[in-house]
Amino acid sequence: MCMRLLTCLGLCMFSAMFTYASDTPEPILPGVWKIRLGSPEKLTPLKYRTKSPAKDGFSSLPSVPQFPLQPDEIGFETTPRGCVVSLPFSKSERFYGLGMSTNTFELAGRKAWVVPSDHPEETTNESHGPEPFFVSSHGYGVYFDTARYAAVSFGNSYLKGGEMNVEAEIPTAHGVDVYVFAGPSMREAVQRYNLFSGGGPLPPLWGLGIAYRGKGDFSAADILQLSKSFRDTDMPCDIFGVEPGWQTQTYSSTFVWNTAKFPDPGDFIAQMHAMDFRISMWEHPFTHPTSPIHEALIPYSGDHQVWGGLVPDFATEQGRKVFVGWQDKVLFSKGVDSVKIDEVDNQPFKPDPWSFPDFSKFPSGLDGEQMHSLIGVLEQQAMLAPLKAKNLRTWGLVRDSGALAAPLPYTLYSDTYDHTCYLRGLTKIGFGGHMWVPEVRDAKSVADLVRRVQTVIFSPYAMINCWYMKMPPWLQIDAGKANAGEQMPEAAEATGYVRSAFKLRMSLIPYLYSAFNDYHQTGLPPLRALVLDYPDDPETVKIDNQFMFGPSLMAAPMVDGVSKRSVYFPSGDWYDFFTGEKIAGGRRVEVSKGLDQMPLYVKGDCLLPLAEPVNHVGKDTTFKIHVRVYGSHPAPFTLYEDDGETFDFEQGDQSQVVLSWDGAKGSSKRSGTYTPIRNEILNWEPMGS
C-alpha cells in the first residue's frame, strides 16, 4: 500500500480499519485531483452542489500536470469516533481558509472547527460560513467533502515520534472524498476550488449599490416616507430591506402579509419600484402552526421544531415545492427582488442553543449535524429558483452558508458588531467561496460611524442595517434617541460624510461589476487578502486588515474612528486614490486621514474606470466613465457589460470594452453582442508616471 498510515511505527494504540477505495489521486479537472479514502457518506455537500464545475474557466489558469503532494505522505484511518485524514506539514507552511470565522486568519499551529455558529468571532473558528477547504502557502488547496463538524489541526500537536501533520478528524464518517487543487500559488488554488464549485455569481448591477434595512416594525407608510427622503436628500440607495414586521407572526413565521401594516402589498412594492428601489424581504425557514403551508409541510420537515415551527427539509423536492411555492405566491410574484435568509445558523456550544439538535432526523436522510452544515446553502438554492424561473438575477443576504457555495448570489452577515472582526472578515473571504458584509447601524461617535461606513462600501454588499432604529445613523448615532425622533447636532456633518462615501461606492460600480465577471469566469474573488496577490512577500502572510478590492485597488479601512494607521505597501508603485501621491512599495507607512478620506490606494501601471455617481442603478442607466491613468505603461482594463438584470448573458448577450493607453492617449474597443452602451467613456486623466 503506497499511502503512509498513521499507525506506522506503533504510534497508534488501537487497530485501525483501512478500507481504501483508491490509493491513487484521480485527475478530474485541470489541476484538480480526487482521492477516495475509506467509505464516504452519501449525503455530502457535493451531492447538493448548486452548479456543475465551470470547466471553461480552467483554461485561464496555468497548467499544472503534477499532483502537488506526495501521495505516500497522505494518511487515513478509521477510528471509533469517525475517521482521520493526515497530510504532510512543513514548519515553513502557512494555512488559510476553513470558512468565515472573523477571529482567525493564518491557521498554522492552530486547531480549527468547521462548525456553523451565530458567533463568527470565536477563536475556535466557528462561523456563519464553515467551509472544509483550506489553502497552503506551498501552492495547493484541499477540500474535504463532508457535512460533518470536521476539526482540523495544523501542526499544533505531535505524534510520539515527534512527527507533525495536518490532521482532519471527521466525526461519524468512515471515509471521505478529498479533493486537491493545484496552484502554482494559493491564488490559483482558490480559483480552481471556486470553478469546481461552479464559478462565482454575477450579481445584478443594482445589487452593487447601497442597501438600507429599516426598523423591524416599520409599516409600508414608514418605508415609503423614509425612501422618499433618501431621494429628496440626494442619498444614494438601491435596495430597501423589509424586516420581520411584514408578517402576521415571526419566530416562527407564517409568511403571511400583515395587512394592518401593509394593506396592499402589491401596491407598496409597485410604489417602491416607481422610486427605483429594489425590495429585499426578511425570511427564516421555521414555519408557524398557523401558516397556510404548515400542514402540507409536516411530512417534509424535521422531527424537531424551532420556536414552535417546522424545519423544512430543503433536501427533498416535495419540501422545497411546498415552501418555495408559497414564497413565490406572496413575494416574488408580487415583484420582490431578493430575500434576507435569517437564523439558519446555530449555537452549537452554548448552554441555550437555538435551532434543532444535531441528532434531529429529516426525511431526506440527513441528520441534524449534516442539516446545520447544509441548510443555508439549500435554502439559498430554493429561494433563488423562482427568480431564476422569471429570468431575474438577485443579490441577497444569508446568515449561514457552507461548502461549494461560490455560485450563490448571497452575502453572509452577522449581528455581532466588532469592527476589527468585520474588517478581518472582508480580508478573509478570498480564501474560499463566500461573500461577507459588515453591518452598520448605531455608533460610539460620528467618527466611528464614518469609519464603519467607509469599511462597508468596500464590501460585496454595502449595507446599512437599522433593524432596531427608526432614524438613519447619519441623523442620530444613538439608537434610543433615534427611536425617540431626536436628531443629533452633528447630523448635517455626518450626512455629508456618509453621502460622500456612498457616492464613492456608486462611482466604483462598473469597476466592481467587471471584477465580479472575472469571479464568474475565472473563480478569482473580487476581494482578496494581500497574501493571495503577493505570496512571496513575507510581510503579507499575517496582514488581516488590508485587502485587494478588484484588480487595482487596495483598501485599508480605519476602525474605531481613528485618524491614522499603519499601511503596508507591497512591491511596486502605489498611488493615493484621493491625493494622487505616489508611494514606493515594499515598506510600511504610517498614514493619517481625516474623516473625508480613508486609506485607499491604486496599483501603479493600471487603468481605473470611475463612473460619475448615480443615486440608483436603473434598467437603462448609462455610466459616464472617467478613466484614470496610473503609471507610464498601464495594463489594459476590460469593462464588462450586459443588461445587468437577467440571465441572458449566459446565452452570450454581453459585451466587453477594452480600455488601453499608448503613452499619450487612451482608446476603447468594444466587442460582443450586447448593443446598448452601458459605459460611456468621457475622458482620460493621467495621474502620474
Side-chain angles (χ1 to χ4, degrees):
M1 183 174 292
C2 70
M3 307 187 91
R4 176 180 53 81
L5 306 178
L6 292 177
T7 51
C8 67
L9 302 177
L11 298 176
C12 188
M13 299 303 294
F14 56 86
S15 295
M17 294 177 59
F18 303 107
T19 54
Y20 292 102
S22 168
D23 61 0
T24 302
E26 173 192 356
I28 59 170
L29 288 163
V32 183
W33 291 263
K34 171 185 173 182
I35 306 172
R36 172 154 290 184
L37 301 174
S39 300
E41 294 184 296
K42 294 182 179 180
L43 304 181
T44 69
L46 195 60
K47 175 180 174 61
Y48 302 106
R49 179 167 53 185
T50 304
K51 292 179 67 175
S52 299
K55 294 182 180 180
D56 291 346
F58 286 90
S59 63
S60 67
L61 302 178
S63 176
V64 279
Q66 186 173 347
F67 186 68
L69 301 173
Q70 291 297 321
D72 61 354
E73 291 188 343
I74 299 173
F76 171 76
E77 65 177 345
T78 58
T79 77
R81 297 165 53 92
C83 66
V84 178
V85 179
S86 174
L87 302 168
F89 174 86
S90 167
K91 290 184 178 180
S92 65
E93 261 181 297
R94 306 283 184 167
F95 299 94
Y96 305 88
L98 291 187
M100 268 310 302
S101 166
T102 59
N103 206 357
T104 59
F105 187 68
E106 203 272 312
L107 298 171
R110 301 181 64 96
K111 183 176 183 179
W113 282 262
V114 187
V115 177
S117 170
D118 73 316
H119 266 68
E121 295 168 2
E122 301 286 349
T123 58
T124 57
N125 204 67
E126 302 167 46
S127 76
H128 284 308
E131 188 173 26
F133 169 77
F134 69 84
V135 288
S136 161
S137 61
H138 284 195
Y140 66 90
V142 176
Y143 166 65
F144 304 100
D145 187 34
T146 181
R148 297 294 176 189
Y149 297 166
V152 187
S153 298
F154 292 92
N156 67 327
S157 61
Y158 293 79
L159 293 169
K160 277 187 178 180
E163 184 181 10
M164 278 196 305
N165 301 292
V166 176
E167 296 172 318
E169 182 182 26
I170 301 167
T172 304
H174 297 292
V176 64
D177 286 331
V178 179
Y179 293 81
V180 178
F181 302 84
S185 76
M186 290 192 293
R187 174 167 155 157
E188 291 83 13
V190 168
Q191 288 180 262
R192 292 182 203 277
Y193 169 72
N194 288 333
L195 291 170
F196 175 73
S197 303
L202 186 59
L205 270 169
W206 54 261
L208 300 181
I210 304 298
Y212 185 94
R213 302 199 70 87
K215 195 167 183 290
D217 59 359
F218 267 6
S219 66
D222 296 326
I223 294 170
L224 288 164
Q225 181 181 17
L226 183 56
S227 299
K228 185 176 184 301
S229 77
F230 292 165
R231 295 290 182 250
D232 291 344
T233 58
D234 190 33
M235 188 61 74
C237 190
D238 271 284
I239 305 169
F240 199 102
V242 183
E243 287 292 294
W246 72 271
Q247 298 184 52
T248 56
Q249 163 69 41
T250 53
Y251 294 92
S252 52
S253 292
T254 55
F255 315 110
V256 174
W257 285 89
N258 179 351
T259 53
K261 292 178 179 288
F262 296 85
D264 188 336
D267 181 67
F268 160 69
I269 294 169
Q271 289 190 63
M272 292 295 287
H273 282 169
M275 289 192 287
D276 289 304
F277 283 94
R278 304 292 179 151
I279 302 299
S280 170
M281 303 297 292
W282 181 94
E283 281 277 339
H284 73 202
F286 312 119
T287 306
H288 192 265
T290 62
S291 172
I293 60 173
H294 184 272
E295 184 174 353
L297 201 57
I298 289 174
Y300 312 115
S301 58
D303 63 350
H304 283 72
Q305 300 183 78
V306 176
W307 295 310
L310 297 175
V311 183
D313 188 345
F314 293 110
T316 64
E317 181 181 356
Q318 301 94 326
R320 291 193 303 272
K321 184 176 180 180
V322 171
F323 188 88
V324 177
W326 181 257
Q327 308 304 322
D328 189 23
K329 178 180 179 180
V330 299
L331 296 180
F332 304 120
S333 292
K334 294 183 183 297
V336 166
D337 303 283
S338 67
V339 291
K340 169 186 173 181
I341 302 172
D342 206 357
E343 317 296 5
V344 286
D345 47 14
N346 189 22
Q347 289 181 315
F349 303 132
K350 302 295 189 296
D352 56 344
W354 67 47
S355 211
F356 45 89
D358 291 344
F359 54 82
S360 299
K361 300 174 184 176
F362 288 85
S364 60
L366 294 168
D367 62 28
E369 178 185 4
Q370 294 168 305
M371 182 60 82
H372 276 304
S373 295
L374 293 168
I375 188 170
V377 168
L378 292 171
E379 188 170 4
Q380 289 174 71
Q381 294 169 345
M383 299 301 279
L384 176 62
L387 288 166
K388 185 73 183 286
K390 295 173 173 56
N391 194 26
L392 292 172
R393 281 183 264 168
T394 190
W395 198 231
L397 294 162
V398 67
R399 184 67 171 264
D400 183 75
S401 195
L404 308 176
L408 289 165
Y410 298 84
T411 302
L412 292 163
Y413 68 97
S414 173
D415 282 348
T416 55
Y417 208 50
D418 184 286
H419 195 172
T420 300
C421 284
Y422 274 167
L423 177 52
R424 186 179 296 113
L426 290 175
T427 306
K428 189 173 179 177
I429 56 177
F431 295 125
H434 292 142
M435 296 287 103
W436 167 257
V437 55
E439 292 196 353
V440 180
R441 36 188 191 268
D442 57 0
K444 296 178 291 186
S445 64
V446 170
D448 180 39
L449 170 68
V450 173
R451 295 309 188 197
R452 287 180 178 274
V453 170
Q454 290 172 346
T455 300
V456 83
I457 64 168
F458 286 93
S459 78
Y461 191 111
M463 177 174 64
I464 310 296
N465 188 6
C466 290
W467 59 272
Y468 56 62
M469 294 175 64
K470 286 184 178 179
M471 195 176 287
W474 53 87
L475 300 181
Q476 177 56 262
I477 59 173
D478 182 280
K481 293 179 180 179
N483 291 335
E486 179 183 340
Q487 278 197 24
M488 62 183 175
E490 308 93 334
E493 176 190 17
T495 299
Y497 288 132
V498 171
R499 182 186 292 113
S500 177
F502 284 1
K503 286 183 178 291
L504 173 58
R505 169 65 177 220
M506 301 304 286
S507 74
L508 291 169
I509 286 180
Y511 167 83
L512 183 57
Y513 195 55
S514 300
F516 265 103
N517 180 60
D518 289 342
Y519 187 29
H520 178 70
Q521 297 286 345
T522 72
L524 180 64
L527 277 71
R528 305 179 300 282
L530 298 186
V531 71
L532 285 178
D533 282 30
Y534 301 93
D536 298 325
D537 186 335
E539 294 295 318
T540 65
V541 295
K542 289 188 177 293
I543 294 178
D544 62 355
N545 59 2
Q546 299 174 220
F547 54 89
M548 296 303 297
F549 186 78
S552 308
L553 289 173
M554 180 177 71
M558 293 174 164
V559 301
D560 298 330
V562 301
S563 60
K564 64 180 181 179
R565 62 157 290 175
S566 176
V567 176
Y568 180 72
F569 294 88
S571 61
D573 291 334
W574 296 85
Y575 295 82
D576 187 300
F577 175 87
F578 296 97
T579 68
E581 175 191 2
K582 184 176 178 179
I583 303 164
R587 62 194 177 112
R588 187 171 286 278
V589 178
E590 191 78 7
V591 173
S592 296
K593 290 288 182 182
L595 292 181
D596 59 331
Q597 297 182 4
M598 62 170 285
L600 178 64
Y601 303 96
V602 189
K603 286 176 65 173
D605 284 331
C606 80
L607 299 175
L608 179 64
L610 293 177
E612 294 181 359
V614 295
N615 283 350
H616 57 82
V617 179
K619 183 176 182 180
D620 300 318
T621 295
T622 297
F623 293 101
K624 310 294 186 181
I625 302 293
H626 302 261
V627 183
R628 289 188 182 181
V629 182
Y630 291 91
S632 56
H633 299 90
F637 184 93
T638 301
L639 278 168
Y640 172 77
E641 297 183 332
D642 60 22
D643 64 22
E645 292 192 348
T646 75
F647 289 92
D648 290 356
F649 70 92
E650 293 183 341
Q651 279 69 53
D653 192 12
Q654 55 180 280
S655 291
Q656 294 77 35
V657 181
V658 178
L659 308 176
S660 301
W661 179 261
D662 66 3
K665 67 181 187 302
S667 63
S668 60
K669 183 177 181 181
R670 185 183 304 272
S671 63
T673 61
Y674 182 72
T675 52
I677 295 177
R678 178 64 80 176
N679 296 288
E680 180 184 356
I681 311 302
L682 295 184
N683 59 25
W684 301 74
E685 302 174 356
M687 304 300 292
S689 60

